[in-house]
C-alpha cells in the first residue's frame, strides 16, 4: 500500500507544507524501508510544523515520539531521550508528554527526573492513573514509602483492579509496619 499512499502524501505536503500527519506518515514509510535519514527528516518537518500556541494538542507531539524511536533504532539513545524532553517542553501544559518522559527517565535509572515528570503529569490530569502508579513505583524505589502508598491509594480509588494495585498497597503497608 505504500506505493499508493506515498504519492498522495507527497501531494498533500505540497498543498499544505505544515501537514503534520502527512510528514509523519512519510517518515513511517521511509522508516519501514530502512531509509532512516529520510524518515528522520520527515519527522523533523512534522515537528517544525507543530503549532506553538493554544492550538497545540497532544496528538501533535507524536512526531517527537516517532523521531525518538528512529533515533533509538539507530542506537542514538541520548538523541532519543532529547526528543521526549523536547515534547515535554513543547507541551508543558499537557500531561501525556510529561508521563512519556517520566517513563523514559525511569527506564534509564534517572529516578529524580522521573519523579518530577510523573508528578507533573498527575498534577495536570488528576485522574491519570498511569502517572500516579509510575510515581508510586519511583517513590518506593527511593524509599519514600508513605508517599508511594498515597499515590497507590489514589489509583485504587479510581480502579481497584489497576495493575494489581491492591497487592502493591498491601506490600508497602507491610513494609511500613
Amino acid at each position: 500500500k505504500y506505493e499508493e499512499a506515498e504519492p498522495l502524501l507527497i501531494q498533500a505536503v505540497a498543498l499544505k507544507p505544515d501537514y503534520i500527519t502527512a510528514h509523519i506518515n512519510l517518515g513511517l514509510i521511509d522508516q519501514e524501508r530502512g531509509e532512516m535519514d529520510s524518515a528522520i527528516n520527515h519527522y523533523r518537518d512534522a515537528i517544525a510544523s507543530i503549532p506553538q500556541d493554544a492550538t497545540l494538542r497532544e496528538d501533535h507531539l507524536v512526531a517527537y515520539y516517532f523521531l525518538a524511536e528512529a533515533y533509538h533504532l539507530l542506537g542514538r539513545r541520548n538523541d532519543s531521550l532529547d526528543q521526549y524532553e523536547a515534547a515535554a517542553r513543547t507541551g508543558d501544559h499537557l500531561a501525556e508528554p510529561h508521563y512519556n518522559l517520566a517513563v523514559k527517565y525511569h527506564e534509564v535509572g534517572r529516578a529524580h527526573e522521573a519523579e518530577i515528570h510523573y508528578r507533573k503529569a498527575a498534577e495536570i490530569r488528576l485522574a491519570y492513573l498511569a502517572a500516579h502508579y509510575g510515581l508510586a513505583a519511583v517513590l518506593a524505589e527511593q524509599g519514600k514509602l508513605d508517599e508511594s502508598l498515597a499515590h497507590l491509594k489514589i489509583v485504587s480509588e479510581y480502579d481497584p483492579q489497576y495493575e494489581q494495585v491492591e497487592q502493591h498497597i498491601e506490600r508497602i503497608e507491610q513494609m511500613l509496619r
Side-chain angles (χ1 to χ4, degrees), residues 11-156:
Q11 184 179 14
V13 168
L15 293 171
K16 190 172 187 260
D18 62 347
Y19 191 1
I20 297 168
T21 304
H23 285 295
I24 290 170
N25 286 327
L26 285 166
L28 289 170
I29 290 170
D30 286 343
Q31 187 170 323
E32 182 68 26
R33 290 181 181 148
E35 299 171 6
M36 296 304 287
D37 289 339
S38 182
I40 287 169
N41 287 333
H42 284 297
Y43 299 142
R44 285 182 180 154
D45 288 342
I47 290 167
S49 300
I50 293 173
Q52 301 298 312
D53 58 21
T55 64
L56 174 73
R57 300 186 320 258
E58 282 186 12
D59 63 316
H60 288 140
L61 301 176
V62 73
Y64 286 105
Y65 309 138
F66 282 115
L67 181 55
E69 179 61 19
Y71 284 140
H72 180 79
L73 291 171
L74 292 171
R76 295 169 57 180
R77 307 287 188 256
N78 290 336
D79 290 334
S80 179
L81 189 57
D82 288 347
Q83 296 311 307
Y84 284 98
E85 291 169 342
R89 280 191 308 276
T90 301
D92 187 55
H93 63 292
L94 302 169
E96 195 71 25
H98 289 285
Y99 172 78
N100 290 336
L101 179 56
V103 168
K104 293 303 173 184
Y105 279 146
H106 202 174
E107 287 174 358
V108 298
R110 292 171 61 178
H112 179 70
E113 291 98 329
E115 178 185 342
I116 290 167
H117 289 280
Y118 278 132
R119 204 177 285 286
K120 179 108 180 187
E123 288 169 3
I124 292 170
R125 192 183 312 153
L126 299 177
Y128 198 166
L129 301 187
H132 285 286
Y133 191 77
L135 180 56
V138 80
L139 289 168
E141 290 168 11
Q142 296 176 68
K144 301 175 183 177
L145 299 180
D146 288 324
E147 195 175 357
S148 174
L149 183 61
H151 285 279
L152 288 172
K153 287 184 176 182
I154 291 169
V155 173
S156 179

